[in-house]
Amino acid sequence: MDGRLFSFIAASISALFWLSLPALAILPIILTLAILLWRLPGRNSTLLTIKSVSCCFVLGIFWMASVGHWQQTWQLPARDFTQGVWVKGQVKSLIDDENSARFNLKISSIEDRKLIKDVLIRLSWKQPTWPLKQGQLVQLWVKLKPPHGLANQGGFHYQQWLFSQSIVATGYVKANQNNSLVKSDYSVRQRLLDGIVALKLDTTPWIAALSLGHRGLLAPDDWSLVQRTGIAHLIAISGLHLALVGSLCYLLIASVLLFCYRVLIKGQNANFYFISVGITLIATLGYAYLAGFGLPALRAWLMLALTGLLVFSCTHWGFRRILLVGVSAFIVLFPLSLFGQSFWLSFGAVSIIGFVFWRWPVRHQGFSIKTWFASMCRLQLALSLLMLPLVAWQFSFVSVAAPVINLLAVPIVTLVIVPMCLLGVIMMLLSIPYWQDVFTLVDVGLQFLLDKLSLMGSWSGAAFSIQAIPGIVWICFTIAALIFLLPRGLISRLLALILCVPLLTYGLNPVKRDWQINVMDVGQGLSVVVLKDNKALVYDVGAAYPSGFNMADSVLLPFLRSNGLREISALVVSHFDNDHSGSLPALRKKMAVKSLFTTKDLCRQNWQLTWQGLSVKALWPDDPSLYSDNNSSCVLRVSNGDFSLLLTGDIDASVEAKLIARYGTALQSNVLIAPHHGSNTSSSMVFIDTVKPDFVVFSQGFMNRWGFPKTAVVERYQQTDAQLYRTSKHGQVQISINDSRAQVSTFRQNIYPYWYANRSID
C-alpha cells in the first residue's frame, strides 16, 4: 500500500514541473491506460507490485491534469475584463480596516448571469460605502483583471499563489451609487476580530494572528521580525496549535468523564476513550473554523481525523503510512494547495518530526524535564537543519538564531500564550465577563516576548540573505544532512561529504558574468538592473503606494539578494515621478547605496562614468529646469565598446529629436528601453531608425489604464528587425552579454515557465 501511495504522490508532484497541461483529448487515454494496468494479470508478487504502482502513478497524472483543466474551465471569459461589471457574492475575508479594504469575494453571478459554480475573486476598495465585514452578501460595480502578478527572480510568485487559492480574477470596486449591501450578516470570526481590535492593545496584530489566524494586521516590521527569528510557524494556526488544543480538550473531556464515572454515575456503559477522541475531533474542527479553515489548519485537522479513525477502528498504522495517506488525501481534497509553499513547509515539518522520533525514540518512563528538554533541543536542531534547504531555496534567506529562539519561544507560545488566547475567545463567544482582562494579560506576555525576540533578532548575525542556489544543490545537501543524522553504519558518511560539495563550491565561487541587463517587472513603472562581476548598477526603482507596497521590497531587494549582493554600487534616478523613483526611500533604508546620481546633481548631459569596465554616459538633459519632469529624464547609454544599452526614461518625441540632432548615429544601441513605457508621444520613427535596436523592451503594467504600449508604437517597432518584449507579458527580461553576443531570457518563458504560474492573455 505504501508503494502505491508514494507513486500517486510522486505523480501528483510532477505537475509542478509541467510546462503545459496534457491536452484534454489525452485524458481519456491516460484513464484507459490506468484501467488497463489495473486489469493486467500478474503472475508473481513482483509483477503485481509493478502493475499496481504504475497504475497509481498514471492515476496521479490523470488527477492533476483533470484538476488543471477544471480550474481553467472556471476562469472568467475575456468579456468580463474589458469593462466594469456588476457582481454579487459573499465577503470571505476578515476585514480589519473600515477606511480601505482588500478582500476575497465569492461571487455567484456577473451581470445577472448566474455562474454554474461560485468562484473566488480578490478585490480592493479604497473608500467603502459601508464597513465591510466577513459574511456580508454584497452587490458591487467592479473592474476585473485576470489573475496576474509581478514575475521576477527572487520575488514572490503572486500569480502562482492566486492559482493555489482558486482565485480567478483580481480587481477593484468602482464608485457607484448602486453598490449595495444585500445582506448584513457578520460571521462569528468577524465579530471576534472586531472585539479584539476594539481593545486597542499594543500587540493586537499578534493576538489576532494567534487567536484567529488573521495576519493582515501585522506591519512590515513585524514580518521582518518573523523572518529574522524564524517564528512563522508560531503565528499560523496549524499543526502545533491544533495538537495543543486537541491535547487540552482530550485531557479535559477524559477528566470530566472519569469524574462522572467514579463519583456521579458509578457505572460505565460507554467507551469513554472513544467519546473523548470524538469530542476532541469536533472541538479541533471548531478551532480550525476560527482559523478560517486555512489550509495549514485543515491539514493538521485531517491528520488528527485520520488518527481518530484508526482509534475508532482499532487499527494500527506506522507513522510512514499515516503520513502517506494524509498527504494523498489532501492532494485529492485540496489539489491546488500542492502549488503553495505552506503545503511543503507543513508536511516537510511533519516528516522531520517523525524522523526525529524514529531516530531518537523517547524510552524514559514517566515525565522527565531532562528528557523533555533533550527531545526539544534535538527536534529544533533537526527542524532547523533539514528545513533550511527548503526555506533557503524558496526565500534565499537563512535564520541562524531560529533554533535557539524557537527553543525559548515555542514553550511560551504554545503552553501559555495560545491557551490564554483560546480562553479569551471562548469567554468572548459565551459573553462571559472579564474576557477583556484575559486579552490584557496576553498583551503583557506577548509584549515581553516580542521585546526579547526583537533583542535577539537585532543581532547582526541572527539572519542573512543568500544568493539563489538551484534546487538540485539543496536536494543534495538535504540527503547529506539525513545521512549524517542516521545511525552510524547504515550509509557511509563519505557519501554525505561528497553531496555537500555542490553547495560548498556554489557558495565559495560566486557566479561570474560578463554583464547582464535585467529589465525588472515592476508593473507600471521602470527599474533596470545591470550586473557585472557581481556588482549592480540600478536605473530607476519603480513605484511606491500609500498602502505601503513598494517595488523595493517586492522586486529589487529580493532580486539583488538572490544574486548575493549586499550593496548597490551605483544608482541612477532618471526623474522623480513616482513610477520611477517612489521606492527610493524603502530601497536605501534596507540596502546600502554606494553612489546615487540624479538630475539634481551629476546626471546631466556630458557626465560620464566608468563602471566595472563599462562606459556609462549621460546624453540628456542639458538643463532639467527647462523641461517637464518627463522630458528632464536622465538618458543614459551604457556600453562595453561592442554592445550597448540605451535608457531613455520618459522622454517624448521632442527630446528624441534633440538627441538625434546632437548625437546622430552615436545613438545606435543594441538594447533600447522604450521611452515612456510605449506612449504614443514617444518612439518616433526617425528615433527608432537612428537607434536601430536589436532588442526593445516595454516596461509597463498589465492591462494598464493608459493602454501602454500603444498599438501604433508597437507597429512602428515591428517595421524593424528588433525583437520586442513587454514586462507585462514576459515578466523580467534578462539579456546576458558574453563576448558581445546577447542571449535573452524572460521569466515567464525561460526562467519560470510552468503552466500554473503563467497565463498568456496580454
Side-chain angles (χ1 to χ4, degrees):
M1 180 178 178
D2 290 356
R4 294 194 292 270
L5 292 171
F6 184 82
S7 179
F8 174 80
I9 293 169
S12 300
I13 291 174
S14 73
L16 292 169
F17 306 100
W18 299 350
L19 301 184
S20 61
L21 283 172
L24 191 60
I26 296 178
L27 294 190
I29 299 175
I30 296 175
L31 182 59
T32 302
L33 177 60
I35 296 172
L36 290 175
L37 284 169
W38 182 257
R39 300 291 296 175
L40 185 71
R43 298 179 180 178
N44 54 57
S45 58
T46 302
L47 185 59
L48 283 171
T49 300
I50 294 174
K51 180 193 76 168
S52 61
V53 167
S54 301
C55 177
C56 289
F57 188 88
V58 174
L59 281 175
I61 298 290
F62 173 78
W63 174 243
M64 293 307 299
S66 300
V67 167
H69 282 290
W70 290 339
Q71 187 65 13
Q72 289 189 347
T73 300
W74 305 131
Q75 299 298 312
L76 300 178
R79 66 177 181 272
D80 292 331
F81 303 121
T82 56
Q83 58 187 357
V85 293
W86 283 103
V87 299
K88 185 177 181 180
Q90 186 179 46
V91 178
K92 303 301 291 184
S93 301
L94 283 174
I95 309 295
D96 52 50
D97 187 350
E98 295 185 356
N99 298 319
S100 64
R102 190 166 182 82
F103 59 99
N104 293 344
L105 186 70
K106 193 168 189 177
I107 59 174
S108 56
S109 65
I110 300 180
E111 291 288 299
D112 295 326
R113 184 177 80 248
K114 186 71 175 177
L115 300 179
I116 299 174
K117 173 184 176 293
D118 291 356
V119 296
L120 204 61
I121 63 175
R122 188 161 178 81
L123 299 173
S124 60
W125 196 356
K126 287 186 178 180
Q127 294 180 329
T129 309
W130 64 87
L132 277 172
K133 302 293 180 183
Q134 185 185 57
Q136 290 176 341
L137 187 64
V138 298
Q139 181 171 283
L140 301 172
W141 177 245
V142 302
K143 182 69 172 68
L144 296 177
K145 291 182 180 181
H148 192 272
L150 303 178
N152 301 282
Q153 287 175 296
F156 176 60
H157 300 154
Y158 183 58
Q159 189 167 338
Q160 181 178 334
W161 179 83
L162 291 172
F163 179 82
S164 71
Q165 301 295 312
S166 300
I167 295 173
V168 301
T170 62
Y172 60 92
V173 180
K174 303 179 71 174
N176 191 295
Q177 61 181 0
N178 293 322
N179 286 334
S180 60
L181 176 60
V182 179
K183 194 174 181 180
S184 60
D185 290 347
Y186 296 359
S187 70
V188 174
R189 290 186 75 226
Q190 184 68 63
R191 296 180 189 277
L192 292 172
L193 178 63
D194 290 347
I196 292 172
V197 171
L199 294 177
K200 297 182 179 179
L201 301 171
D202 292 338
T203 60
T204 292
W206 301 89
I207 294 174
L210 291 168
S211 302
L212 304 173
H214 177 69
R215 297 180 286 179
L217 288 167
L218 293 172
D221 288 343
D222 296 328
W223 284 112
S224 178
L225 176 63
V226 167
Q227 190 177 43
R228 290 186 63 80
T229 55
I231 60 168
H233 61 289
L234 292 179
I235 61 168
I237 296 180
S238 56
L240 188 64
H241 301 90
L242 230 69
L244 172 67
V245 172
S247 301
L248 293 175
C249 183
Y250 178 80
L251 289 174
L252 177 62
I253 299 300
S255 300
V256 170
L257 291 177
L258 185 62
F259 174 77
C260 293
Y261 163 62
R262 291 184 175 179
V263 179
L264 301 179
I265 303 175
K266 298 182 179 179
Q268 182 176 359
N269 296 316
N271 190 320
F272 290 167
Y273 182 53
F274 287 174
I275 293 174
S276 300
V277 172
I279 295 176
T280 297
L281 288 176
I282 295 172
T284 49
L285 184 62
Y287 189 58
Y289 165 76
L290 290 180
F293 287 125
L295 291 178
L298 283 175
R299 274 192 292 269
W301 189 84
L302 181 66
M303 298 297 285
L304 285 176
L306 179 59
T307 305
L309 183 63
L310 294 176
V311 169
F312 290 138
S313 62
C314 299
T315 304
H316 174 73
W317 282 354
F319 174 80
R320 182 178 64 186
R321 176 162 297 181
I322 291 175
L323 180 63
L324 290 174
V325 170
V327 174
S328 300
F330 208 80
I331 289 175
V332 171
L333 295 173
F334 307 100
L336 295 184
S337 68
L338 195 65
F339 303 97
Q341 294 171 342
S342 67
F343 177 93
W344 299 97
L345 295 173
S346 294
F347 282 116
V350 170
S351 302
I352 292 168
I353 291 171
F355 171 79
V356 169
F357 284 105
W358 167 81
R359 176 64 180 86
W360 294 283
V362 179
R363 296 189 175 91
H364 185 82
Q365 298 296 321
F367 179 77
S368 166
I369 293 179
K370 179 181 177 181
T371 303
W372 174 83
F373 185 73
S375 299
M376 285 289 294
C377 289
R378 279 196 297 265
L379 184 59
Q380 286 300 326
L381 289 172
L383 279 169
S384 299
L385 177 63
L386 296 177
M387 289 294 287
L388 183 148
L390 181 58
V391 174
W393 180 37
Q394 290 292 321
F395 305 106
S396 297
F397 193 88
V398 174
S399 176
V400 177
V404 176
I405 290 174
N406 276 283
L407 198 61
L408 299 173
V410 168
I412 296 174
V413 173
T414 57
L415 300 180
V416 181
I417 303 295
V418 170
M420 291 289 288
C421 287
L422 185 59
L423 176 62
V425 167
I426 292 173
M427 291 175 68
M428 197 191 320
L429 278 171
L430 301 178
S431 299
I432 298 174
Y434 307 115
W435 61 267
Q436 299 95 330
D437 298 327
V438 173
F439 282 118
T440 301
L441 288 174
V442 171
D443 179 62
V444 173
L446 268 175
Q447 193 61 63
F448 172 80
L449 179 61
L450 291 172
D451 289 343
K452 302 305 177 187
L453 290 178
S454 298
L455 184 63
M456 290 185 280
S458 62
W459 171 49
S460 59
F464 55 90
S465 300
I466 60 172
Q467 67 186 88
I469 297 175
I472 188 64
V473 176
W474 287 119
I475 290 173
C476 290
F477 176 79
T478 302
I479 297 172
L482 283 170
I483 293 173
F484 273 116
L485 294 175
L486 286 172
R488 288 182 177 274
L490 287 181
I491 301 178
S492 172
R493 300 289 172 89
L494 178 61
L495 176 60
L497 292 174
I498 294 173
L499 290 172
C500 286
V501 170
L503 180 61
L504 293 174
T505 55
Y506 206 97
L508 294 175
N509 297 291
V511 178
K512 296 287 184 181
R513 52 177 68 88
D514 187 354
W515 64 303
Q516 188 183 85
I517 302 163
N518 294 276
V519 185
M520 310 307 297
D521 180 9
V522 292
Q524 186 57 37
L526 178 65
S527 183
V528 180
V529 180
V530 178
L531 300 178
K532 190 171 191 301
D533 298 330
N534 301 304
K535 300 289 184 181
L537 180 151
V538 177
Y539 180 88
D540 285 345
V541 293
Y545 301 95
S547 64
F549 182 79
N550 64 81
M551 295 304 161
D553 289 326
S554 58
V555 176
L556 284 172
L557 289 170
F559 173 75
L560 293 169
R561 288 169 178 167
S562 69
N563 278 276
L565 298 171
R566 299 291 179 269
E567 72 169 11
I568 297 170
S569 57
L571 172 59
V572 178
V573 175
S574 67
H575 63 298
F576 294 94
D577 281 358
N578 179 58
D579 60 331
H580 291 254
S581 65
S583 293
L584 183 59
L587 181 64
R588 299 189 73 182
K589 179 181 178 182
K590 296 183 179 178
M591 180 169 281
V593 177
K594 192 173 181 180
S595 301
L596 173 64
F597 306 102
T598 73
T599 54
K600 290 182 178 180
D601 42 65
L602 296 176
C603 200
R604 300 186 183 188
Q605 199 172 76
N606 296 325
W607 169 75
Q608 56 186 5
L609 169 74
T610 300
W611 178 81
Q612 299 298 113
L614 299 177
S615 170
V616 181
K617 184 177 182 181
L619 309 181
W620 185 262
D622 49 6
D623 184 352
S625 66
L626 300 177
Y627 308 96
S628 65
D629 285 343
N630 285 349
N631 279 338
S632 65
S633 296
C634 182
V635 176
L636 289 187
R637 188 173 186 271
V638 183
S639 174
N640 66 351
D642 297 317
F643 197 92
S644 54
L645 161 70
L646 188 61
L647 298 157
T648 56
D650 279 350
I651 62 171
D652 66 14
S654 65
V655 175
E656 293 174 356
K658 293 179 185 295
L659 290 172
I660 294 169
R662 181 176 179 86
Y663 298 103
T665 57
L667 282 177
Q668 188 170 343
S669 300
N670 302 92
V671 180
L672 170 65
I673 309 303
H676 202 182
H677 319 288
S679 166
N680 206 27
T681 60
S682 307
S683 297
S684 62
M685 199 65 229
V686 63
F687 179 74
I688 296 172
D689 289 339
T690 302
V691 177
K692 290 182 168 49
D694 299 315
F695 309 98
V696 178
V697 183
F698 298 97
S699 180
Q700 33 72 242
F702 176 69
M703 293 182 68
N704 64 86
R705 60 179 175 171
W706 297 277
F708 295 156
K710 293 293 186 180
T711 303
V713 173
V714 174
E715 289 175 350
R716 288 201 287 269
Y717 281 108
Q718 287 175 339
Q719 296 177 34
T720 71
D721 294 328
Q723 298 180 32
L724 309 185
Y725 298 92
R726 308 182 193 184
T727 55
S728 63
K729 178 180 180 179
H730 300 96
Q732 170 193 345
V733 179
Q734 185 179 87
I735 305 172
S736 300
I737 299 96
N738 293 292
D739 299 326
S740 298
R741 289 178 297 180
Q743 179 180 355
V744 181
S745 300
T746 67
F747 187 85
R748 294 187 184 276
Q749 293 180 336
N750 308 104
I751 299 171
Y752 203 77
Y754 307 114
W755 65 277
Y756 50 84
N758 302 294
R759 186 182 177 189
S760 56
I761 40 185
D762 192 28

